[in-house]
Amino acid sequence: MKTNINGVMYYYEWLSGYESNRPTLVCFHGFTGTSQTFAPVFQKESDRNILVIDLIGHGQTDCYVHPYRYQMDCLCQDIALLTEKLGILSFSLLGYSMGARVALGFTCLFPQKIHQLVLESGSPGLQRMSERMMRKRSDEQLAGFIMSHPMEAFVDKWEKLSLFDSQKRLSSKIQETLRQERLSQQAFGLACSLWYMGTGVQPDFWQELDKIKSPTLLIVGELDLKFQHIAQSMKEKQPDMSIEVVSDAGHCVHLEKPEIVGEVVYTFLSSSSEKR
């Protein structure tokens, strides 16, 4: 389904059907992904509505809009309006990688809307200005590559990142589905995501972590040492956060271990809602 939010057509889907008396979990995918990445995770019957959204520039959501609409605060405002339009005033939120950064930004902007927060392989950003500038240049170079080469050339380059090495162990069918998802993207959408919402230009949320009062779970893969370290550092800033390290998984935990991630998320949502 699609809906118009201030001139941008957003695609969304209920993976579980919708019942007004059930709580809702909203899910944000990662860079080069779509909402369909969460389908294998939420296949079992649930007492929750599962709402997945294609973020701006990805999947079936518009990409050819003013680049400023890609800025994180603009995207978060859009998501707030979208969920309100669907009659959802508050909800739990799950984000993966880029989607985790958006989920964290949304929680900082709209804390009153978030019951529980789940961040999979997420980061609050870069704290040092020198790191931010280096990452900004790197993202700009990658965006330039995307705009000047066929999508297949970019996907070939993207898939060779060491961050995704563990995905090479997945079945050929899953790998091909993932590749087709990446190939289906529009170059302009991906480039704008890097230019206006990349890690180098996003706000630094490290100083906001101790203000988050919603129960928060950090999911990381056992093989993803970089994001394990980030998760531990986040917990040092906000000790109330919980960390779940999923065995034998890399950066995209829900892709490699969908059933385990589904169980972990449902358990967390159920247990933390009982404590509220």
Side-chain angles (χ1 to χ4, degrees):
M1 293 173 279
K2 290 188 176 183
T3 188
N4 189 316
I5 305 295
N6 288 337
V8 178
M9 294 299 294
Y10 277 87
Y11 176 84
Y12 67 93
E13 183 176 336
W14 297 102
L15 291 184
S16 58
Y18 175 75
E19 296 180 18
S20 59
N21 62 330
R22 298 191 304 192
T24 295
L25 173 66
V26 179
C27 303
F28 296 159
H29 60 78
F31 182 67
T32 76
T34 71
S35 55
Q36 298 310 300
T37 189
F38 294 107
V41 180
F42 301 110
Q43 292 186 331
K44 294 182 179 180
E45 288 289 327
S46 170
D47 60 352
R48 294 177 183 272
N49 301 313
I50 309 297
L51 176 63
V52 294
I53 302 170
D54 282 351
L55 299 180
I56 192 167
H58 288 75
Q60 298 182 59
T61 289
D62 283 351
C63 70
Y64 295 108
V65 297
H66 196 292
Y68 282 3
R69 292 299 294 275
Y70 283 78
Q71 295 178 113
M72 187 171 289
D73 59 341
C74 290
L75 172 57
C76 291
Q77 293 282 351
D78 285 352
I79 297 297
L81 291 173
L82 189 160
T83 49
E84 289 171 8
K85 192 173 183 178
L86 295 177
I88 308 165
L89 301 182
S90 59
F91 48 89
S92 296
L93 186 53
L94 161 65
Y96 158 67
S97 198
M98 177 190 78
R101 293 190 289 109
V102 176
L104 184 56
F106 187 96
T107 302
C108 292
L109 282 171
F110 302 101
Q112 73 282 2
K113 288 183 173 291
I114 302 304
H115 294 308
Q116 300 138 307
L117 178 63
V118 181
L119 304 177
E120 176 193 345
S121 304
S123 166
L126 300 170
Q127 294 178 277
R128 291 197 291 271
M129 182 58 68
S130 59
E131 291 179 318
R132 292 162 67 90
M133 292 307 297
M134 285 180 61
R135 181 58 183 263
K136 184 174 182 289
R137 285 194 293 269
S138 175
D139 285 347
E140 289 174 346
Q141 289 173 358
L142 183 57
F145 183 92
I146 292 171
M147 292 296 291
S148 59
H149 291 77
M151 185 58 64
E152 187 171 9
F154 161 68
V155 172
D156 288 343
K157 180 185 181 73
W158 187 249
E159 291 177 339
K160 290 177 182 176
L161 293 177
S162 59
L163 196 65
F164 305 127
D165 281 348
S166 57
Q167 294 180 12
K168 296 171 184 176
R169 303 179 304 169
L170 296 169
S171 70
S172 57
K173 181 179 179 180
I174 294 177
Q175 289 190 59
E176 181 58 25
T177 298
L178 178 59
R179 181 174 175 82
Q180 290 305 315
E181 182 179 57
R182 289 165 172 162
L183 288 170
S184 71
Q185 307 292 347
Q186 298 293 321
F188 183 78
L190 296 185
C192 282
S193 291
L194 291 169
W195 282 326
Y196 293 94
M197 201 172 60
T199 304
V201 295
Q202 79 157 60
D204 173 10
F205 293 121
W206 283 100
Q207 303 307 315
E208 304 297 319
L209 294 181
D210 60 352
K211 301 176 186 176
I212 296 176
K213 303 307 178 185
S214 304
T216 302
L217 173 65
L218 310 176
I219 299 177
V220 289
E222 177 188 26
L223 307 177
D224 189 359
L225 300 181
K226 174 183 176 180
F227 279 83
Q228 277 190 57
H229 175 72
I230 291 173
Q232 291 291 346
S233 298
M234 291 174 70
K235 185 172 175 58
E236 290 174 8
K237 286 279 188 179
Q238 171 50 286
D240 291 338
M241 291 181 173
S242 303
I243 300 176
E244 181 75 30
V245 179
V246 178
S247 299
D248 198 34
H251 187 67
C252 190
V253 192
H254 74 269
L255 177 70
E256 298 179 42
K257 305 290 182 180
E259 293 183 358
I260 293 176
V261 169
E263 292 176 4
V264 166
V265 170
Y266 281 137
T267 299
F268 168 73
L269 296 178
S270 297
S271 61
S272 57
S273 63
E274 293 171 357
K275 297 175 183 177
R276 287 174 66 84

